[in-house]
Amino acid sequence: MSVFALDDLFTIMRECAGEEESAELTAAAARQEFTELGYDSLALLEALSRVERAYHVELPEETLAEALTPAAFVAAVNAQLVSPTPAMESAE
């Protein structure tokens, strides 16, 4: 089983939408809201899609609405890695 780390998310975010000059994606940014870091909903949708493909998880759309910070997003991904949805289990 893989673990999804904050650095993994930051790498994906940089690849999807770049990095705002005013926001450094470091551990200190983990508790800031994505909007404060300069990322909009389109960038988050792209990141969500890439995480699903790379980690073979299916994340509910509510994940984006509820995971307002990088730390919350990482926790949601790891929760799915531990307990995958039935659709993903049958696909394996």
Side-chain angles (χ1 to χ4, degrees):
M1 173 182 68
S2 298
V3 174
F4 185 67
L6 196 56
D7 286 338
D8 299 323
L9 175 60
F10 288 157
T11 297
I12 290 170
M13 295 299 296
R14 284 184 190 103
E15 291 170 356
C16 289
E19 184 174 2
E20 290 292 318
E21 289 181 23
S22 61
E24 290 187 41
L25 296 180
T26 62
R31 303 252 181 264
Q32 290 181 295
E33 291 193 9
F34 286 110
T35 54
E36 293 172 8
L37 296 171
Y39 293 98
D40 61 13
S41 59
L42 185 58
L44 294 176
L45 282 171
E46 176 64 23
L48 179 71
S49 175
R50 291 185 66 176
V51 167
E52 287 180 331
R53 288 191 311 267
Y55 288 84
H56 308 287
V57 295
E58 185 175 327
L59 299 165
E61 290 183 20
E62 298 84 42
T63 299
L64 287 181
E66 296 169 1
L68 301 177
T69 66
F73 188 96
V74 168
V77 171
N78 283 318
Q80 283 298 313
L81 288 172
V82 171
S83 178
T85 60
M88 291 306 292
E89 287 177 340
S90 63
E92 293 177 353

